[in-house]
Amino acid sequence: MSDDAAIVKEFLIESYENLDRLDQDLVVLEKNPTDRNTLASIFRTIHTIKGTSGFLAFNQLEALTHAGESLLSRLRDGLLPLTPEITTALLAMVDAVREMLKSIEASGKEGERNDRDLISTLARLLEPPAVSPRSEVTAAKVEPAANRPELPVPNLGEILIKRGTANISEVNAAVEQQNAGDPRHVGEILVEKGAVKSQEIVEALNTQQHARGQSASDSTIRVDVGQLDRLMNRVGELVLLRNQIVQYTNSTEDSELLATSQRLNLLTTELQEGVMKTRMQPIGNIWSKFPRTVRDVALGCGKQVRIEMEGKETELDKTIIEAIKDPLTHLVRNAVDHGIEPPEARTQAGKNPQGLLFLRAFHEGGQVNIEVTDDGAGLDYEKLRNKAIQKALITADQAARMTEREITNLIFLPGFSTAEKVTNVSGRGVGMDVVKTNIEKIGGTVDLQSKPGQGSTVRMKIPLTLAIIPALIVTSAGDRYAIPQVSLLELVRLEGEQARKGIEMVSGAPVHRLRGKLLPLVYLKTELRDESHGPGSDNDDSQSVNIVVLRADDRQFGLVVDEINDTEEIVVKPLGKQLKSINMYAGATIMGDGKVALILDVLGLAQRASVVNEVRDHAVVETDDQQSHGVSGTARRNTVLLFQQGENGRIAIDLSLVARLEEFPRDAVEIAADQEVVQYRGQIMPLIHVSDVLESTRRKRDVDAGESLQVVVYTQNGRSVGLVVDRILDIVEESFTQQPQSGREGVLGTAVIQRRVTEVLDVPGLIAAASKSRSLAMASS
C-alpha cells in the first residue's frame, strides 16, 4: 500500500468514528444548547475533517465541511442561538459527509454530487454580522505565546515549529501567502516551497489529533477485522486439536502425558477467551446512532421523545453486533412511530407530553438480553383482532377465543401491519416478522409484551458469539449430533416401569407428563427418516428413554435420543451447499476423534416435527366440521376430546366446544359463595367437577395437595367455566353413531369411540345441572 493510500485509509477510519460521535453530540447539544464542551468537540471534529480533506484534495468535502464549520464557529462564539433548523442542517451535513466518505472508500473519489443547496442553507443560517468567507479558512499567524490567547489545541504551524521541522519565519510566510489569496492550506504551501516533507505534515496532523483527544491512546492499536477472523479460525482449529488430544489422553496411564494434555487444555481455553475478547464490541457502538434516529423519526411524526440507555458497555461478538443492528434500528423506529403517542394524546391520558424510549442490555445465563421499552399506548388488541380477520389469518370465532398473548404473536406474522397509511417510517408490511427471522437466524429469541395505555417491551435473547459455542453431544442411530446449549433446559431419563408407562399418546402424538405438564416428544430417529424407530416401534427396547428438554420459539418439547454423551465446546463450521436447504441443521463441527457431527437447529427441528404451531400446548383448537348436536342414529365424523371418569368410565366432548385445556395447582383453587373458583385471565372462573354432577353426589377427593387439576375451559358470551376432569386421554377424529340417552342430565348419549363405549357430554346441560344442584344444596343448608 502506497503512503497516500495509507493516509486516505487512516483519514476514513478516523472520520467514520468522528461522524458516529457527531450524530449523538448534535442531539445532545439540541437538548442543552449551552453545553460549551459538546459544541467545542463538534467544532473540532468538523475542523479536522475539513483540514485533512483539503490536504488530500477532496475539494467537495472540504467546501461542505467549511460551510458547516463557519456555522459552528458562530455558535461556539455565542453569536448565534442553536435552533432546530440549524441542528437539522448540521445533521444533513453529517449525512452528506458520510456519503462522500463511502464513495471515497469505494472509488477513491467523492462521486458526482451537488451539495450547493445544502451549502446555501448552511450559509443562510449565518446571521449578520457575517464573517469574511476567507477568514474561516486561513491559518492563524504564529505569534509568541505571550501575545496571543492560550488555545487548548495547537495549530499546525505551532507543531512544526516546536518540532524544529519548520522555522517561524517559514510558517508566517506561508500564512501571509494564504491570506493574500492562495487557496491552499499552510501545509501544502510549506511542502510546495520545500520547507517540509509531506510525511512531516502527516505526522504533525496526527500529533494535532492526539492533542484533541480524538486518536486512539498509545495503549491501543488498530487491527484489521479480516486479520481477527483469520486468527479466530486458527484458534478454532486449535480447539479441535485440543479436543482430540484430550480425548486420547483420557484413556492413557502416562501421568506426564496426562498432565501435559491438561496444561494444553488450560492454555487453549485462555487463548480462545483472549481472542474472542478482541472480537467483542460494546453494544453502545450501535446504540450511539439511536439518539439521532429517535430525533429524526419523532420530528417527522410530530412527537416528543427522549431516549435513555442502560448497559451500553455490554459486549457481544462483532458478527452478532452486525446481525442485530438492523433489527434493533427497526424496533427503535417502530416504537417512536407506532408506540409513543403525540403530545396532545399523552396529555389527555395524563402522561408527560414527552415520551420515553428505554434501551437496556445485560448478560444473563451465557446470553445477552436486550430490551426496547416505550411508555406509549401499548397494543390495541381489538384492532389486532380485526386486522387479522381482515387479512384472513384467523376466523372471527378463533379471534374471540384468542388470549392476549396469542393476539400479540400475530405481530410477528409476515405482512402483518396495523399502520393506517404507508409512510417512510413504517406500514409497508415488512417489519416485526423480519426482526424475528433475523434474530432467530443467529440463535436468538424475540418476545413482545404490552399493557394497553402503559407501553410495550420487546425482549431479545441472543448468544454472545457464533464461532465457538458450548453444546450437548447426543447419539441417534449410531451418529453423533450437537445441540447448542443455549436451547437446552434439562435432561430427563426414564427407566424400567417409568420408561414403559411414562410416554402417552395424545391426538396420535407422544407426550410425557413432566411435573404435571404435558411435554410433546420428538423422536430424533423419526425426524431423520429412520422409520424403523420411533414411539411404539418394535426396535424400541423400552429399557430406558433419554429425553433432552429443549426450548424453541418459547415452546418446550422433549427430544428423544439414544444416548446423551457429554457437553463440549465446539467450533461451528458452515454447511455445504448440499445441506443448506435442510432446516434441521445449523452447521457442522469436527469431534475429538476427527469425525464430523452435525449441529441441530432446534427451531427448525421443532417446526419440522410440528411442535411449533400445533395444538399440543393447549392452543385454541378449531374443527372444520360445524356439526349440530343431538343428531341420533347417523354416523358423523367428529373430532372429540376424550377423558377418563372414575376407574373405567370414558367421556367425550365435542372439540369445537373446548376453548382451552389448562392445568391448575390445587393451591390456586379458592372458595367464593360455596363455589370452587380460580382466577383466570382477568376473570373469576367457577369450577365444576364433571364426576360430581354425573354421579349426583360430591365425591370425596383424597389427593396429594401438590397434584394438579386438569381442566377443560368452556367459554360462551365472554364468560368461562372450568370443567374439572379426572384424566385427559386423547384427541381423536372418528366417525361414530351417537345413541341418545334420556333421563341423565349432562349427557347427550353414548357412542363407540376407539372400540370402547363412551358417553358424549352435553356441556350446557352439565352446567345447568351443576347450577341447579348447587342451588338445592344451598337451600337445604
Side-chain angles (χ1 to χ4, degrees):
M1 183 183 293
S2 67
D3 289 344
D4 289 345
I7 293 170
V8 170
K9 182 178 180 181
E10 184 74 15
F11 164 67
L12 289 172
I13 292 172
E14 295 194 357
S15 295
Y16 278 137
E17 291 177 353
N18 291 337
L19 287 177
D20 289 342
R21 188 172 60 253
L22 266 186
D23 276 335
Q24 193 167 6
D25 284 348
L26 284 168
V27 175
V28 169
L29 186 64
E30 186 176 36
K31 296 177 181 177
N32 186 11
T34 60
D35 188 343
R36 311 302 299 175
N37 291 332
T38 301
L39 185 53
S41 173
I42 295 170
F43 176 82
R44 288 195 301 267
T45 298
I46 293 298
H47 178 76
T48 300
I49 295 176
K50 186 206 76 170
T52 311
S53 61
F55 178 75
L56 296 173
F58 296 128
N59 299 324
Q60 295 179 79
L61 182 55
E62 180 189 16
L64 179 60
T65 50
H66 162 56
E69 183 191 38
S70 299
L71 186 56
L72 285 165
S73 176
R74 296 185 65 76
L75 291 169
R76 182 194 60 180
D77 296 339
L79 301 175
L80 279 178
L82 184 67
T83 65
E85 186 181 12
I86 291 178
T87 304
T88 300
L90 290 172
L91 287 171
M93 175 200 66
V94 172
D95 291 341
V97 170
R98 188 176 279 110
E99 289 177 10
M100 276 192 259
L101 292 177
K102 289 180 180 177
S103 180
I104 292 170
E105 185 178 19
S107 63
K109 299 179 181 179
E110 297 155 291
E112 298 295 329
R113 299 184 55 81
N114 184 356
D115 295 306
R116 285 195 295 269
D117 290 345
L118 179 55
I119 292 174
S120 297
T121 299
L122 292 168
R124 176 178 58 80
L125 293 171
L126 287 168
E127 295 182 0
V131 296
S132 166
R134 185 62 199 155
S135 65
E136 293 296 335
V137 297
T138 57
K141 183 176 181 179
V142 178
E143 300 177 0
N147 298 332
R148 60 180 171 82
E150 188 69 28
L151 296 176
V153 179
N155 63 34
L156 184 65
E158 289 177 303
I159 296 172
L160 293 172
I161 294 169
K162 186 176 181 180
R163 286 187 168 196
T165 305
N167 58 50
I168 191 168
S169 61
E170 290 172 330
V171 172
N172 283 340
V175 172
E176 292 294 343
Q177 182 173 334
Q178 189 188 64
N179 288 338
D182 193 322
R184 296 174 298 172
H185 289 271
V186 170
E188 294 176 273
I189 296 172
L190 289 172
V191 171
E192 191 269 338
K193 287 180 174 293
V196 296
K197 298 178 181 179
S198 60
Q199 185 59 37
E200 292 171 333
I201 295 293
V202 172
E203 291 173 358
L205 288 172
N206 287 336
T207 300
Q208 190 180 47
Q209 290 171 349
H210 276 284
R212 293 188 176 107
Q214 295 179 1
S215 292
S217 67
D218 294 337
S219 63
T220 61
I221 60 172
R222 297 186 189 279
V223 180
D224 185 78
V225 174
Q227 182 69 23
L228 284 180
D229 289 340
R230 288 188 289 273
L231 182 59
M232 191 68 189
N233 288 336
R234 295 293 178 269
V235 171
E237 297 298 331
L238 181 61
V239 169
L240 293 176
L241 185 61
R242 182 273 311 270
N243 292 345
Q244 293 178 16
I245 293 175
V246 169
Q247 180 172 323
Y248 171 75
T249 55
N250 279 342
S251 58
T252 185
E253 297 181 358
D254 190 330
S255 59
E256 291 187 7
L257 180 60
L258 186 60
T260 303
S261 168
Q262 292 172 344
R263 179 65 177 162
L264 173 64
N265 185 18
L266 178 62
L267 291 177
T268 303
T269 301
E270 291 178 351
L271 177 61
Q272 172 194 333
E273 291 175 353
V275 172
M276 289 179 68
K277 284 181 180 178
T278 64
R279 294 172 53 89
M280 302 296 273
Q281 293 184 341
I283 198 170
N285 285 3
I286 54 176
W287 280 10
S288 62
K289 299 178 175 61
F290 292 156
R292 164 76 187 279
T293 302
V294 169
R295 188 251 181 204
D296 289 349
V297 176
L299 199 63
C301 298
K303 298 178 181 179
Q304 300 173 14
V305 184
R306 79 179 190 275
I307 182 172
E308 294 181 4
M309 294 175 278
E310 180 184 301
K312 290 187 287 187
E313 69 285 350
T314 305
E315 291 186 327
L316 298 92
D317 189 274
K318 177 177 172 57
T319 54
I320 300 290
I321 287 278
E322 292 298 321
I324 67 173
K325 182 165 58 177
D326 288 343
L328 270 179
T329 300
H330 177 83
L331 290 176
V332 168
R333 294 171 66 88
N334 196 63
V336 177
D337 185 37
H338 280 307
I340 295 176
E341 317 95 317
E344 58 275 10
R346 292 180 63 86
T347 302
Q348 291 175 4
K351 295 182 177 181
N352 188 321
Q354 184 183 58
L356 172 63
L357 180 65
F358 181 64
L359 304 184
R360 179 172 178 244
F362 58 95
H363 289 282
E364 184 180 70
Q367 292 179 295
V368 172
N369 290 253
I370 302 175
E371 298 177 353
V372 180
T373 303
D374 67 76
D375 66 346
L379 293 179
D380 185 335
Y381 292 112
E382 194 60 34
K383 186 176 182 180
L384 289 173
R385 277 193 181 96
N386 294 336
K387 182 64 79 170
I389 295 171
Q390 177 186 332
K391 289 179 171 286
L393 298 173
I394 56 175
T395 65
D397 193 26
Q398 279 179 306
R401 299 182 186 184
M402 291 180 76
T403 65
E404 291 182 354
R405 176 74 174 169
E406 291 164 339
I407 296 170
T408 300
N409 286 333
L410 294 173
I411 292 287
F412 296 109
L413 294 177
F416 189 88
S417 174
T418 58
E420 299 296 337
K421 60 181 179 180
V422 173
T423 69
N424 61 345
V425 178
S426 56
R428 299 185 180 274
V430 178
M432 295 301 288
D433 63 311
V434 177
V435 170
K436 185 178 176 70
T437 300
N438 289 344
I439 295 300
E440 288 176 347
K441 277 182 181 177
I442 59 173
T445 60
V446 183
D447 178 58
L448 172 61
Q449 294 182 348
S450 181
K451 292 184 178 179
Q454 299 182 37
S456 303
T457 297
V458 178
R459 291 185 176 87
M460 292 181 289
K461 292 185 178 182
I462 53 180
L464 288 171
T465 179
L466 299 179
I468 301 175
I469 61 172
L472 176 71
I473 310 301
V474 300
T475 301
S476 179
D479 294 321
R480 284 175 297 179
Y481 299 89
I483 302 173
Q485 201 160 302
V486 69
S487 302
L488 178 63
L489 296 179
E490 61 180 298
L491 302 176
V492 176
R493 182 176 175 86
L494 307 178
E495 295 183 336
E497 187 72 14
Q498 212 178 13
R500 287 187 289 274
K501 295 186 177 180
I503 298 178
E504 309 170 41
M505 303 298 292
V506 174
S507 190
V511 297
H512 170 63
R513 293 181 186 270
L514 182 61
R515 291 186 290 276
K517 294 185 177 181
L518 294 178
L519 179 73
L521 296 181
V522 175
Y523 283 76
L524 186 55
K525 288 179 180 178
T526 303
E527 299 309 318
L528 295 173
R529 295 295 184 261
D530 185 357
E531 302 297 345
S532 62
H533 295 82
S537 68
D538 294 336
N539 292 29
D540 275 342
D541 55 17
S542 298
Q543 296 302 311
S544 64
V545 176
N546 297 302
I547 303 174
V548 182
V549 183
L550 302 170
R551 181 185 297 277
D553 198 18
D554 209 25
R555 310 275 179 91
Q556 292 184 24
F557 71 99
L559 183 66
V560 181
V561 299
D562 290 351
E563 298 176 26
I564 297 173
N565 303 124
D566 202 354
T567 57
E568 188 174 308
E569 284 190 330
I570 61 172
V571 180
V572 180
K573 298 288 186 181
L575 290 172
K577 60 181 180 180
Q578 296 86 354
L579 295 175
K580 278 188 177 180
S581 60
I582 304 177
N583 66 347
M584 277 183 57
Y585 306 119
T589 189
I590 302 173
M591 303 302 298
D593 57 5
K595 294 182 180 179
V596 174
L598 291 170
I599 303 171
L600 296 177
D601 182 335
V602 174
L603 178 61
L605 184 63
Q607 291 172 337
R608 183 185 182 113
S610 300
V611 170
V612 174
N613 299 328
E614 275 219 349
V615 224
R616 297 182 192 171
D617 63 339
H618 305 170
V620 177
V621 181
E622 292 294 320
T623 176
D624 294 332
D625 298 325
Q626 301 297 326
Q627 313 101 322
S628 59
H629 299 287
V631 180
S632 61
T634 56
R636 297 181 293 116
R637 191 165 188 81
N638 288 336
T639 304
V640 294
L641 170 71
L642 295 178
F643 65 88
Q644 182 177 324
Q645 178 199 359
E647 293 295 327
N648 300 307
R650 285 163 54 96
I651 297 179
I653 301 177
D654 193 322
L655 200 57
S656 64
L657 300 177
V658 178
R660 292 182 67 86
L661 305 178
E662 298 285 359
E663 289 182 339
F664 296 106
R666 293 213 170 248
D667 56 13
V669 179
E670 303 176 62
I671 303 295
D674 198 35
Q675 168 73 55
E676 287 189 347
V677 297
V678 292
Q679 298 179 32
Y680 182 70
R681 303 183 185 280
Q683 298 181 10
I684 298 176
M685 183 172 72
L687 297 179
I688 297 175
H689 290 263
V690 174
S691 296
D692 290 352
V693 178
L694 297 185
E695 296 171 11
S696 302
T697 180
R698 179 166 293 186
R699 182 199 301 174
K700 180 181 178 182
R701 287 181 283 275
D702 185 17
V703 294
D704 183 0
E707 185 180 342
S708 297
L709 294 179
Q710 296 191 14
V711 177
V712 178
V713 179
Y714 169 74
T715 302
Q716 188 175 32
N717 300 325
R719 301 298 298 173
S720 298
V721 175
L723 307 180
V724 182
V725 301
D726 287 359
R727 183 182 179 86
I728 295 173
L729 298 175
D730 204 350
I731 297 175
V732 299
E733 184 177 3
E734 190 171 312
S735 296
F736 57 83
T737 300
Q738 180 179 303
Q739 302 295 332
Q741 181 173 327
S742 60
R744 192 174 184 195
E745 292 181 303
V747 177
L748 287 172
T750 57
V752 176
I753 303 176
Q754 290 187 333
R755 301 182 181 180
R756 293 190 60 180
V757 175
T758 304
E759 291 184 302
V760 182
L761 200 66
D762 175 8
V763 177
L766 181 85
I767 295 173
S771 300
K772 183 171 66 174
S773 173
R774 178 171 169 269
S775 298
L776 290 173
M778 290 181 66
S780 63
S781 63

